[in-house]
Every structure is written in structure tokens, then in C-alpha cells.
Amino acid sequence: MGVNDRLPDFGSGGDAGLVGRMIDGILLGAQPLLVAFFLWRALDADPAPAALWCIIALAGTAILRRLLLWPASRRLYALAYGGGVRMRRAILAHLVGMPLGAFRAIGGGKVMQAVSEDILWLENHASHTRPEIVANAAVLAVCLVGAVVVWPVTGLSAIFGMAIGLALLSFARRRLAVGLERRARSLAEVSLVLQEQAEGVAVLRAFADGADADGVFARAVERLRDGAWRGVRKITPIAVLFRMVIDLSAALAIFLAVFTFGDASHADAARLAISALLVVCATVPARNFASLSAMLELARIGRANVRELLAVPLTPTGRDGSPEAFDVHYENVSFTHRGRTAPALEDITFKAAQGEMTVLIGANGSGKTTCMQLLMRFWEPDRGRILIGGRDIRDIDSRALSTIIAPVFQEALLFDDTIGDNIRVGRPSASDEEVEAAARAAAIHDVILGFERGYQTRVGALGARLSGGERQRMCIARAILKDAPIVILDEATSALDPENEEAIQRAIAALAAGRSLFVIAHDLASIVAADRIVLLDGGRIEASGSHEALLVSSPTYRRLWRRSAEMRRWKMAQS
Ligand SMILES: Nc1ncnc2c1ncn2[C@@H]1O[C@H](COP(=O)(O)OP(=O)(O)OP(=O)(O)O)[C@@H](O)[C@H]1O
């Protein structure tokens, strides 16, 4: 499927709404023609009936226009907003299927820019810019054709002059595009910095008094201003020149007509005046093309950005369904992160039997998270393979793979939605009773009932209304609800109070029951019961085995164990 097939459309060019706007333009252009016609009649006959008919005709076209405009606009806005929804959904679906590495390379700012600003310009294009172009072109055409018919010299010279102006505008589009593209890039940068700063507002307040006078955000905003200003400086002279050419072409057309008038009759003088009126009327829609071409360019940039996002290849998915067994086997897996020289993992080989608990330990940066990310196919190994139930994970359909693995990350990701719906992310079809059972098992039910609106309470952006420990238990409840045979748990590093810790341990025990559990452990005390401990050092397996076996065989493990025991004693003394 090509990129164009994936790019949702905003309705075809020949849509009824556009036809409506075209007829509206023709009627608008016909109004000066009607005035001209009745003026003409008034010269030869009794002016009173001509004036009356003129008013009736003008009122008639005005009413007809209103009657047409209403359904046409409704149709166009429905198309625009419908297209916007489809496009935003397509982007989200694509992001979900994209390798995490590719997503990070694009950057969150660009994604936010695409779903907000870029799609807004595309919606605006469908509801406003394109219909306005059609309507203005219709007015322009009617006025100029009328001018040619009434007095060819005026009409033809106006067409010639305005064509030069429009050619100039299309020639200047490249300059316009450069300025607007720079502005779009700066805007993406500003939204990324704003997001980072909004999330880290507490840090900002503590360290920079929240002002960020010379900080990253201020610099990004200044770059946006400079980019926009540079664009304006490039565009303004062209826009001014274009409007001047349009106005001058009308003036020149009238001048030429008068110049070639010779000794024609009074009737001819009236025709000339009417053609001059029509040419002046034509300058109004012609001038509008300056701002419309800027909007056209913004929509083009928006479309190109969305297309670029949708062109990122998805993680190739296998054809096999879910495996029947859930033992996990790493076979000589090596992997280096993009942009790094040292491998994050080197020749990793170990087996995690079904239903057992495997714990990964090691110093910061030793490769624990990367090891688990490879299991979820966030990245692809450079060498080696990972098997689940004897099947290479690359051969398993990506949806099937995601249903058999439930991750609980350290940064508990909650959406600004109700508590119930945040848990239901684990299994969208779950009933209220099932959500509540999962919350009970994760030792979070009582906390939820402590809120006035219980499960209907909104958690706030990123779960701001919950504590760190509560957020993590929410995520454990989500994983329990998912009921996947393989669970990955990235243990929290932050110091939890004993009560919270006890609740989390209960939640983890509920989560582990009957499942293959992988734990990225930071505190060794909780892992004594593990079936297998894998000790990583600089991306390599230094030792693996049970707690007792490692105490005997691995000096590094003994050292880590002693340090962890000291930390524990210190924490207990503190509390
Ligand atoms: N997205 C990334 N891009 C580049 N390098 C990365 C990326 N993620 C991790 N790394 C690097 O890969 C190595 C292993 O990192 P990883 O996060 O897997 O270690 P970890 O053992 O989980 O660390 P921690 O205990 O601090 O969470 C580190 O050197 C890290 O800097």
C-alpha cells in the first residue's frame, strides 16, 4: 500500500459543497453584471422600472446565495472535520505500529505539530481555502468575461495584467514555502520544549524560578519569532507587489480603453464605464489570492509533514498467531542503539521457563531495559534471535505478540481520563466488575474509593492526582486485567514508604501468579524468590542462576547483595 493510500482524504474535488461555492461565486460575480445591465437599460428607456428590476434581481441573487451557502458550508465543514478525525486516527495507528526507535528519531514535537497545526491547516484547506479559491476564481472569471463582452479592450488588457500578477504569485510560492517551512520547524521545536517544560514544571520552579528567561523555551520561542519574521520579510514585498500589479492592471485596462475610445458614441461611453466597473470588481477576488496562496502553502506543508510521518515503515509483522507455550529464549542477542558505538547488549543467551520469575539486575546502563524492549520489539536485535514458545518473535503477528506481553513500566503512564478507563486500557472490553477485581488484586481499590467519584474520578494529566506508588499500582491493575501470560515489570527506583511498598509487593504477587514474570530489579531484597537471576554488566551476562547459586559463584553479585542489604537497613532506620 502506497503512502497516498494511507493518507486519509478530505473528500473529492468535485464535491457538492465545492460546486455550491462555485455557483455562489458565479452569482456574486453576476451582481455587478446585473447592475451594469439595468444601468444600460436605464439609458435607453424609463429608468424607474429598470431600477425596480435591478433591485429585485440583486435581492434574488442575494437570497439564492444565502440558500446555497448554508448547505454548501455545512457539507464542507463536515468533510473537513471528518477528514481531520480520520487523519489523526491514522497517525495514532501508525505511531503504535512504528518501531520505537523510528518514533524517537522523528521526535514528539513533530508528531504534536502533525496532529494539531498541520491537520488544522488541512481542515482549513478543505473547509475554507479550497472553496474560497473556487468561489473567488468564479467571481473573477464572471467579471472579466463580462468586461470582455461589454468592451473587449478593457477586459482583455485586464486579463493580461492580472495573469502577470498571478504568474508572479505562483513564481513567488517557493520563497513563501521556504519561510513557512522554517516557521513549521520552529513551531515543532517550541511544542516539544513546551511539553518537556510542562512535565518538568516542578524542576523549573525549583531551579529557575519558573521564569526560563534565558532558558531552552525562551530560546525556542525566539527562534520561532525569528523564523516567522524572516518569512514575513520575504513574503511581504511579493504580496505588496502582487496587489499593486492587480490594481495597476485594472487602471491600465481602463486607461487603454479610454485611450483607444476615439470619437465613439455616448452609448459606447456607457459601455466603457460598465466594463471599467467590472474590471475594478474583478480586482477584489484577484487580490484575495495573495492570502489564499499562503494558506494553500500551509496546507501543502501540513500534508507533506503528515505524509512523511505515515511513510515511516511499520515494524514488520509476522504471520504466526499466538504461540502455545510461553517460555522465552534469548539466543546470542546483540544490539547497539542508533547513534551509539558501544553495544547495549552483547551475545545475550538465557532461557526463562514458562511460569517462572526471571530477574534482571546490574548497574545503571548495563542493558536491562534494552533487553526487555527487544522482547517487545521496540527495537530489532542486530544479531541473534528471541523465541517465545519456540517461535521467533519476528514470525509472530505484532497484535498477537502485544496481547501475550503485559509491561509495567517504571514511569507509570496514565492518561487524563477516569481511573476506571485508565485501568480498562489493559482490556477495553472488561466489565466494571472485572476492572474492580483487578484494582482489588493490585491493592488500589481502597485508594480509589477514597475519591468522591470513585472509579469515575479523572486522574489529571499524566496521573497528577495520584502518588507515585498509586500510579504504579494502577498500572499493575491494568496488567492484571490484561491477563497476559508474560509480564515485564520495571521496578520503581524511587523510595517508597513501607506501607506503599507492602501494597506494591502484594500487587506484584497477584500479577505474578501463574505467569512468566520478568523483573528489572533495583532492590535485590525482593528477588530472593526468583527462579533465575540474570546479572548484566556492560551489556554482557556476567552470571546467572538462583540467588543461592550466585552468592556462591559471583563476587559481583555478592557485592551488589551486600550493598543492597546496607541500603535496606539505612532505609528502615530512616523510617
Ligand atoms: N534510546 C537510546 N538511544 C541510545 N542509547 C540508549 C538508548 N536507550 C538506552 N541506551 C543506552 O544503552 C545502554 C543500556 O541502557 P539500558 O537503559 O538498557 O540500561 P539499564 O540497565 O536498564 O539502565 P538503568 O538501570 O539506568 O535503567 C546505556 O549505555 C544507555 O545509555
Side-chain angles (χ1 to χ4, degrees), residues 404-421:
I404 60 175
I405 301 177
V408 180
F409 297 115
Q410 217 181 90
E411 325 85 56
L413 181 66
L414 297 183
F415 303 102
D416 186 7
D417 204 337
T418 63
I419 288 180
D421 283 345

Side-chain angles (χ1 to χ4, degrees), residues 100-101 104 335-340 342-345 361-373 379 410 490 493 520-522 536 539:
L100 192 69
R104 293 206 174 144
F335 174 73
T336 306
H337 282 285
R338 202 195 304 192
R340 304 295 292 254
L345 292 175
I361 59 165
N364 291 132
S366 56
K368 306 180 290 291
T369 306
T370 306
C371 191
M372 288 298 101
Q373 286 174 334
W379 325 91
Q410 217 181 90
D490 194 351
T493 42
I520 298 176
H522 301 274
L536 289 169

Side-chain angles (χ1 to χ4, degrees), residues 437-443 476-477 479-481 483-484 487 503-515 517:
R440 278 182 195 280
I476 293 176
I480 291 174
L481 191 63
D483 198 19
V487 172
I504 286 191
Q505 288 311 329
R506 266 191 291 138
I508 292 173
L511 180 63
R515 300 187 173 97
L517 177 67

Side-chain angles (χ1 to χ4, degrees), residues 6 94 97-99 102 309-316:
R6 284 203 296 266
H94 202 78
M98 196 185 273
L309 210 67
L310 294 180
V312 175
L314 299 176
T315 308

